[in-house]
Every structure is written in structure tokens, then in C-alpha cells.
Amino acid sequence: MPWRNEILKQHGQRKADNLWRNLRGIESSPGRTIDVDGKSLLNFCSNNYLSLASHPEVIAAAQAATQKYGASTTASHLIVGHTEIHQQLEEKIASFVGAEKAILFSTGYMANLAVPTTFLGRRDLLVQDRLNHASIIDAAKMSDAKLRRYHHADAAAAGAILESSESDDAGAAKRKMLVTDGVFSMDGDLAPLDALHQSCNDHGAVLVVDDAHGFGVVGPSARGSLSSFDLEPSGNTLMLGTLSKAVGSFGAFVAGDAVYIDTLIQQARPFIYTTALPSSAAAASLTAIGLFESEPWRREKLNENIQHFRKLADVAGIALTDSQTPIQPIVVGDSAAALTASSQLKELGIMAIAIRPPTVPVGQARIRVTLMTDHTEADIQQLVTALANALAPSS
Ligand SMILES: *Cc1c(COP(=O)(O)O)cnc(C)c1O
């Protein structure tokens, strides 16, 4: 078959370009340390920001739910997959983020596919930040809306696109939606949500904030990026979050006014045509979100760790971005250099993965460090010393 050879050739090219990706069989939970290839390494690359994935109460909740509801829901939400635990979790999320209603999805990827494809059609406009998560880019391909992307975090450019769509020669857009990451997944910076929110209001657009990395971490009570601008998922603003990062479980949600959430229940294909997430995941999420409130020290400790890392990195002369979130990238540039740094870090007892194109733009390969509550000051010192070694120009 000729295309087999073609694919093999592409594999060869990927390897030559240092873009080949490998799976690892991880041998432990994604905690402060992680077991890989028979070695225990300090873990600086999971999204378990609040160290809740292995919290005894979270595990106990998942176990109890498995006992009562079984290992799988075996049906979609609208058949018999939606248990009372899913119901409670939706209500808990809505009240926590200050929304009228929330809907669960099996993953954040699917939630992101659902929103534009449900609400937008052929004469509509979808506006996106250039650095949005891949799932939102894919959503644009699946929806029939016209896609326009603006330079990263440039609210003025976003506003100009929304405005020009009102007097487009080809006919004004009927519906407009602007989607942005709240916290950018590979950079850790916050979207300018105050300005974007204003623009969307001015131009009758719906604002969708993908807060996969902000929920549980950012804002005065960890309610997410919107809350750090004193905004809520209400009116024409929708918030999307995942339950697999700070929550330490699995699944995702969209929260907002009931009129939008009800439409998703009726029409969103990535909601309707898939099995509801396991009750164990819903129960773990419910307990973990309770811990956001009852153990605020987790977030305080995480923030101390972020500040501590930034201080030590500064002293060591390691160039950081201005991210104030647990995502702390060190941009290396070249994919080969990022891979070499990552394997040197591994030798020094540190797990921190090289992120390469197309996940980040060409020429911006990086080591993406993520911090968590359970890291100690000594762990962070070890990380910075190792980074200084791994990033030093080779002699
Ligand atoms: C991780 C992530 C997602 C996907 O969420 P999953 O629940 O893992 O599918 C969506 N958006 C952003 C910004 C993310 O970082």
C-alpha cells in the first residue's frame, strides 16, 4: 500500500525534526513525586495543582461511588447515565462559580467542541485568541461559522473584529461568539477578560472563557479567571472548566444562564452522543470542590510555591515569563534543545516535559514547569538548581 510508505516517511521526518512523541507507562499517582521507568522523580509536569488527585477524601468518595453505582454509567446522560451524583455536582459547580446552571461533559475537549458547534451556524462569526487550546481550534473547524483569530491577548484587535463584522460586505454576522482560554495553557498568563467582556457586551457577542487552568486556582475564592476580574458566568458570558486539573478528577463542565445550558442539553452532540462520565469521577469532583472551600490553605501554599519558584529562578538567572499561575514555562526555542534539557532534568531527578510544536508555535519549544501544593521549598530549590544546570550552554 503506497500510503503506508508515505506515513513511514513522515515518521522519519518527525524524528529528524525532534518532534516525535513517546508514551510513558507511569507507575504511580501524579503526586509530588512520580514513578517512571523504575525511578522516583520530582513531578513538575502534572496539572494536579492543589494535590487533590490523591487526597484521601477524594479517593474515598470515588470508591464509595463505584461501590454504589458501579464502575461505569453505561449510558449517555439523557438515557440513564446521569446519576444523582452528576446532578449534585452540576448544582455544586453552578453555585460555586455563580452561574444559574451547569452541564457536565465527559472531557474539556468535548465541552469545547460542543459550545461553538451548538450555537453557531453558517452566517455566524467565531473569534478566537491565537493561542487558544487545540480543542477550541478544532471546534472552529467543526462549526460552520467563520473563524477569525486575533493576536494573543490583544483585546483591541478582538474588538475591531467584532465591530467590523457588523458592516461586512459579505453581510453582517448574525451571531457572534468570542472564545478565549482564561489562563493560557502553555504560557500561564491570564486573558484580558475585563476588556474582552466589555467588547462582547458592546457588540452583542457571547463570551466563552475556557478556564481549564483557572478553576480552583485563580481569583479571590478560586472561582476562576472571571472572578479575578469580578465577573461571573451570567448574561452573555459562559464559563467552561475541566475537572481533571485542579479538581484532580475527570470530566468537565459549562456554566452560565439556563437558556444556554438548556440548549446544550437539547442539542450539543458531544454531550448527547457519548457515555456519561463514571459516577466515581463525579463523586471525586464533588468532594474535591468541597475541599476548595474547606482547605483554602492548599491554594495559599500553591501561591507561596509559585512566588518561591519565581524568586529562586530570578536569582539563578533563569528567564521566566510574567505568569503568576502554576504554569511557569521556560522558553528554550529549539525542539532539540528542549528535549535535551528535559532528559538532563530527568537525570537530575526532575520530571518536566519538553513542549514542542505544534502544541506551541515553531521556535518556542519550552520546558513547561507546573507547580503544586505538595511541593516543598527544598523540592523547588532542587528544581531550580537542576534547571540552571540543564539550561546552561553546553561546554
Ligand atoms: C486541558 C485543557 C482542555 C481539555 O480538558 P480535558 O478535560 O483534559 O479534555 C481544554 N482547554 C484547555 C485550555 C486545557 O488546558
Side-chain angles (χ1 to χ4, degrees):
M1 266 207 291
W3 59 268
R4 273 180 69 103
N5 288 332
E6 212 177 281
I7 291 172
L8 285 170
K9 227 173 99 189
Q10 286 163 355
H11 286 186
Q13 190 60 48
R14 257 175 202 274
K15 287 173 184 164
D17 292 342
N18 292 299
L19 295 176
W20 189 254
R21 300 176 184 220
N22 290 301
L23 289 168
R24 307 168 181 82
I26 300 297
E27 299 143 17
S28 70
S29 67
R32 174 185 154 255
T33 60
I34 194 160
D35 296 349
V36 197
D37 301 332
K39 267 174 63 175
S40 176
L41 303 171
L42 281 175
N43 175 17
F44 286 101
C45 48
S46 85
N47 303 307
N48 186 14
Y49 301 128
L50 298 172
S51 300
L52 288 175
S54 302
H55 191 293
E57 288 177 34
V58 173
I59 292 174
Q63 286 172 329
T66 301
Q67 201 70 47
K68 175 162 182 189
Y69 301 98
S72 171
T73 58
T74 72
S76 66
H77 284 270
L78 290 166
I79 307 296
V80 288
H82 192 78
T83 69
E84 54 198 332
I85 300 283
H86 295 85
Q87 194 73 38
Q88 285 169 29
L89 176 59
E90 286 178 343
E91 285 163 14
K92 175 81 186 170
I93 290 168
S95 77
F96 184 73
V97 301
E100 248 176 50
K101 199 164 180 177
I103 175 179
L104 290 174
F105 283 86
S106 294
T107 68
Y109 187 101
M110 294 162 80
N112 268 331
L113 291 185
V115 177
T117 54
T118 298
F119 292 105
L120 303 181
R122 229 153 43 79
R123 286 200 37 223
D124 302 332
L125 175 70
L126 177 58
V127 183
Q128 295 207 30
D129 189 291
R130 278 203 175 276
L131 295 190
N132 271 355
H133 190 260
S135 53
I136 318 175
I137 308 292
D138 293 357
K141 287 188 195 158
M142 278 178 65
S143 88
D144 293 322
K146 183 169 167 195
L147 171 67
R148 297 280 307 274
R149 294 164 84 185
Y150 56 90
H151 186 69
H152 176 53
D154 188 343
I161 294 172
L162 289 174
E163 187 169 350
S164 73
S165 73
E166 281 151 25
S167 56
D168 213 68
D169 288 343
K174 276 193 309 186
R175 292 182 181 180
K176 287 171 271 186
M177 179 179 280
L178 187 149
V179 189
T180 180
D181 283 18
V183 173
F184 285 87
S185 55
M186 295 301 137
D187 294 77
D189 57 330
L190 244 72
L193 293 178
D194 43 357
L196 294 173
H197 180 261
Q198 186 64 49
S199 271
C200 285
N201 271 353
D202 291 348
H203 300 290
V206 166
L207 171 65
V208 183
V209 179
D210 172 1
D211 216 15
H213 296 278
F215 182 59
V217 173
V218 175
S221 306
R223 290 175 163 76
S225 306
L226 280 164
S227 72
S228 67
F229 292 92
D230 218 12
L231 297 167
E232 282 190 336
S234 66
N236 289 338
T237 301
L238 294 173
M239 171 179 173
L240 186 149
T242 176
L243 302 170
S244 60
K245 286 166 183 163
V247 181
S249 175
F250 195 78
F253 67 87
V254 177
D257 279 4
V259 61
Y260 293 114
I261 304 308
D262 288 339
T263 309
L264 289 168
I265 296 170
Q266 300 307 310
Q267 289 171 239
R269 296 168 67 89
F271 173 78
I272 296 170
Y273 297 106
T274 198
T275 302
L277 62 153
S279 304
S280 53
S285 300
L286 194 56
T287 298
I289 294 169
L291 290 164
F292 288 3
E293 295 168 301
S294 63
E295 298 188 353
W297 64 266
R298 289 185 172 273
R299 197 154 35 90
E300 287 150 22
K301 174 75 181 339
L302 174 64
N303 282 323
E304 283 166 25
N305 284 346
I306 295 167
Q307 295 319 319
H308 189 60
F309 170 72
R310 293 185 62 83
K311 203 172 79 194
L312 293 185
D314 185 50
V315 171
I318 296 166
L320 300 179
T321 65
D322 65 4
S323 163
Q324 298 297 321
T325 68
I327 302 169
Q328 295 288 330
I330 296 116
V331 178
V332 175
D334 177 56
S335 292
L339 280 180
T340 306
S342 174
S343 62
Q344 283 177 349
L345 287 170
K346 198 170 169 195
E347 292 301 309
L348 298 166
I350 305 282
M351 189 71 171
I353 298 295
I355 307 286
R356 294 163 287 163
T359 307
V360 292
V362 172
Q364 291 187 31
R366 63 197 63 190
I367 300 293
R368 176 175 177 271
V369 164
T370 52
L371 297 164
M372 68 171 89
T373 297
D374 280 359
H375 288 138
T376 66
E377 290 198 0
D379 296 341
I380 294 170
Q381 178 65 68
Q382 188 182 332
L383 166 67
V384 170
T385 305
L387 278 170
N389 272 299
L391 298 171
S394 47
S395 43

